[in-house]
Amino acid sequence: MTRKPRDHDGASAESGGSKDDKSTEDFVARLLAASEGVDPRELLHQLSGLAMEARTPAAKAFELPARPDSPVRFQLRADLVGSKPPIWRRLVIPGDFTMADVHDVMQEAFGWTNSHLHRFDLGAAYSRDLPGIVMQYEIDEGDGGILESTVTLDQLVSAPGDAFTYTYDFGDDWRHRIVVEKVEPIEVESPDSQPASCLAARRNGPPEDIGGIHSFDELLAAAQEPSENQEEWVREHLEHYGTDLLEQAERPVDIVDLNVRLQSISAARTIRGWLAEHPSPLAGLILGTLNDDASRYAMRLLAGCGIDDLQAPSEADAARATAVVRTFLSFIPPEGISLTAAGYLPPSVVMEMMAQLDPHKQWLGEANREIATTPLLALRSVVSALGLTRVRKGQFALTAAGAKVANDPRALWHHIAKRLPVEKTGWSRDVGMLLLLLVGGHEGSEVDESSTSGTLLDAAAGPAAVATLFSELDWLTMAAGWHFEHTNSYSRSRAYSGVRDTADVLTWAATGELFSRRGTGTETLFSEWARRLAQAALLEW
């Protein structure tokens, strides 16, 4: 037996129907006609969203207070909601930090990777009583809220006991309750230079994409007491993390390292003014092209380049870093080299060059024809793109600039730095500058000839460092608005392959050799001299 619908008067609506019923039927008919061909699941999703908005009261009017007359800093306690034992940080943050800066602080403080959406709420998380403080993405999508980069911390809180919520990853729903413990004046001439810092901390944060705080607790319990009766998702996660999950959870928070990373956020705030005072394609890329999140990160990388104290290389260091290019140039006599009819270097010259450039015989070919010796062919192309050589009437010769610096390692170093990235047009120039930022701004260490390790920010080494480089280049390139066709999302290999000439120049500077030693490869980008050449190139911009 089914229950028949009734109209507002309680009468059964079996036949005829009221005027309202006909209006409803007419609306449904028009809706179905308008939605013809639309995926029903998408239609249901949209209708559900509209229904939710209709049931939810609009946010109350809210006017941000003015900033205080004198600069202050706040001591805050940030707790990851639901964590037992508590995961917390005691932080000091200047009041003039925007909420976008506070987001960066929270990401570093809890070890997040900035891979998901986030928001701040003055009330409960997701509350519509007051507007949320949201990221640019949500504003672009038409969602309500106040843009986080337009609000400073001292506009949201002012006294001990004031609090707000920071939510990261709306799927895992990592909520952080942040309470003001203390307010202190900043008695310095340049409050902008005041860094954020961490005073105390307990427990490292959970891994990303683990399912939320309750899943994290369940996984930790399962890791401490393994059992054959564990659920499949638990076994899969434990197999993925291995012993790292427990070791990371039990390891003390490295506050010294955390404060170094927090210092980079503060340093980046001074870079914006420096870029504004030094207009260039690099400044335009960072300030005008990248989205807000990526722009702040790029400024952190640029701050890591040491724009105030970058040292020129010594003669010996410059000689090592420019060895590959200098060796190539040394084979070009003042009158130049007559190319073959096909436009290649003569076989005799190819063999002489390769004997010097490949002393360890890593090239497996005969190395007697340039067209079949691709590393040498690529080297000639790069050297020409750097403005050191030219071809005229079948003669391959040095340019005037090339002749001037060919035998002067330090002059050659500066010449190369001024012309990086090698790629000069469209997306490849932007990606080349982003690669220079990533290499120049990250901390690194010299790659030992007997080792395959390099260092990238968090001491990642070898393949892990390379994966991080590709991932960050991926993200920054998308943030610059460059997307490649024929991929489901974005192909990181396409981005990197488009700037291989610049990557090769940095690798030659790192190793002093045309070929990287076996086992190192791209990891040499994290070596000292690759980093220093990238830094010099960025500052030339």
Side-chain angles (χ1 to χ4, degrees):
M1 180 175 180
T2 59
R3 186 175 184 179
K4 297 176 181 179
R6 294 182 175 271
D7 61 19
H8 293 296
D9 295 326
S12 175
E14 291 182 304
S15 62
S18 69
K19 184 177 180 180
D20 287 343
D21 289 332
K22 291 180 179 179
S23 297
T24 301
E25 290 173 2
D26 181 59
F27 169 75
V28 171
R30 287 187 288 114
L31 175 64
L32 291 174
S35 59
E36 185 176 358
V38 177
D39 186 336
R41 292 169 296 181
E42 176 61 22
L43 181 61
L44 179 61
H45 174 73
Q46 296 294 337
L47 290 173
S48 298
L50 291 171
M52 177 67 73
E53 289 186 12
R55 291 195 301 269
T56 307
K60 298 176 182 177
F62 178 73
E63 185 175 344
L64 287 168
R67 295 190 57 208
D69 295 331
S70 301
V72 296
R73 58 175 162 249
F74 297 94
Q75 179 176 303
L76 309 166
R77 161 106 177 208
D79 284 74
L80 185 59
V81 176
S83 56
K84 298 177 182 179
I87 299 174
W88 59 265
R89 306 289 184 265
R90 177 163 287 119
L91 304 165
V92 174
I93 304 179
D96 67 343
F97 268 42
T98 68
M99 297 310 292
D101 295 324
V102 176
H103 156 69
D104 291 339
V105 170
M106 293 296 293
Q107 287 288 302
E108 295 292 357
F110 285 85
W112 303 124
T113 62
N114 199 22
S115 303
H116 301 278
L117 302 179
H118 65 272
R119 64 180 283 140
F120 294 93
D121 289 287
L122 288 173
Y126 312 115
S127 169
R128 290 178 62 90
D129 290 339
L130 293 170
I133 311 299
V134 300
M135 56 196 297
Q136 183 68 54
Y137 174 83
E138 293 192 74
I139 299 294
D140 293 342
E141 290 294 304
D143 297 333
I146 303 172
L147 180 60
E148 61 184 357
S149 60
T150 66
V151 185
T152 53
L153 179 60
D154 55 17
Q155 288 180 283
L156 290 191
V157 295
S158 59
D162 288 351
F164 56 96
T165 301
Y166 169 70
T167 305
Y168 171 64
D169 185 354
F170 302 156
D172 281 7
D173 198 29
W174 302 110
R175 302 187 191 187
H176 310 71
R177 190 61 175 165
I178 305 170
V179 181
V180 177
E181 294 184 328
K182 189 185 300 184
V183 183
E184 299 175 329
I186 298 178
E187 298 176 355
V188 295
E189 294 183 2
S190 302
D192 287 345
S193 65
Q194 292 296 296
S197 62
C198 180
L199 303 180
R202 184 179 184 187
R203 299 184 67 197
N204 287 293
E208 297 269 357
D209 302 317
I210 206 168
I213 191 64
H214 300 299
S215 296
F216 178 55
D217 289 342
E218 188 172 347
L219 285 172
L220 284 180
Q224 291 168 337
E225 297 181 7
S227 168
E228 295 182 358
N229 300 321
Q230 291 168 340
E231 295 181 49
E232 183 177 353
W233 75 270
V234 173
R235 290 198 304 273
E236 289 177 353
H237 276 78
L238 292 180
E239 289 173 3
H240 174 72
Y241 290 106
T243 60
D244 290 345
L245 186 69
L246 267 181
E247 291 175 358
Q248 176 70 7
E250 296 173 353
R251 187 181 304 127
V253 178
D254 189 341
I255 295 180
V256 173
D257 177 68
L258 172 55
N259 279 325
V260 169
R261 287 182 276 123
L262 293 179
Q263 172 67 44
S264 74
I265 297 174
S266 303
R269 287 160 50 80
T270 66
I271 291 295
R272 183 178 294 275
W274 185 87
L275 287 171
E277 295 171 0
H278 298 80
S280 67
L282 177 64
L285 176 64
I286 294 176
L287 297 180
T289 303
L290 294 177
N291 64 32
D292 190 56
D293 253 9
S295 177
R296 294 196 313 278
Y297 186 63
M299 286 187 278
R300 289 177 65 182
L301 292 170
L302 189 56
C305 291
I307 58 177
D308 296 325
D309 58 359
L310 187 63
Q311 301 295 315
S314 67
E315 189 76 15
D317 288 334
R320 179 179 182 273
T322 61
V324 172
V325 176
R326 280 189 307 104
T327 299
F328 181 84
L329 297 179
S330 70
F331 284 93
I332 307 174
E335 67 276 12
I337 300 172
S338 296
L339 298 176
T340 66
Y344 296 107
L345 293 170
S348 60
V349 174
V350 171
M351 289 188 288
E352 290 176 7
M353 285 184 170
M354 288 298 288
Q356 291 292 318
L357 292 167
D358 185 23
H360 305 293
K361 305 296 183 184
Q362 296 197 67
W363 181 247
L364 300 180
E366 294 186 15
N368 61 355
R369 297 170 60 236
E370 187 182 22
I371 190 174
T373 313
T374 51
L376 184 62
L377 192 63
L379 173 57
R380 178 154 78 99
S381 174
V382 169
V383 169
S384 294
L386 292 172
L388 295 167
T389 60
R390 61 173 175 78
V391 176
R392 180 177 296 173
K393 296 182 179 180
Q395 289 292 114
F396 180 62
L398 297 174
T399 61
K404 185 177 180 180
V405 301
N407 297 310
D408 186 338
R410 295 182 72 175
L412 181 57
W413 164 275
H414 289 294
H415 178 97
I416 293 172
K418 287 180 180 179
R419 285 159 179 79
L420 289 178
V422 177
E423 300 76 20
K424 301 297 183 189
T425 59
W427 68 269
S428 60
R429 186 188 68 169
D430 284 356
V431 179
M433 286 193 288
L434 293 173
L435 178 65
L436 292 173
L437 271 172
L438 287 167
V439 174
H442 281 316
E443 290 295 330
S445 61
E446 190 68 29
V447 176
D448 186 84
E449 293 183 354
S450 62
S451 170
T452 63
S453 65
T455 303
L456 184 64
L457 270 188
D458 56 357
V466 175
T468 303
L469 172 71
F470 286 159
S471 177
E472 294 191 348
L473 187 61
D474 214 5
W475 171 58
L476 288 171
T477 303
M478 287 192 294
W482 295 109
H483 299 264
F484 299 123
E485 297 179 356
H486 310 303
T487 58
N488 292 330
S489 55
Y490 174 82
S491 171
R492 67 181 64 165
S493 61
R494 176 73 179 274
Y496 183 74
S497 65
V499 292
R500 285 301 299 269
D501 288 346
T502 295
D504 283 345
V505 173
L506 296 174
T507 299
W508 299 336
T511 64
E513 299 177 355
L514 180 60
F515 293 89
S516 299
R517 296 294 179 91
R518 289 186 174 86
T520 55
T522 310
E523 294 142 30
T524 57
L525 290 175
F526 312 121
S527 301
E528 178 185 359
W529 286 103
R531 191 171 69 255
R532 288 186 61 175
L533 181 57
Q535 292 169 348
L538 290 167
L539 299 188
E540 291 290 350
W541 279 93

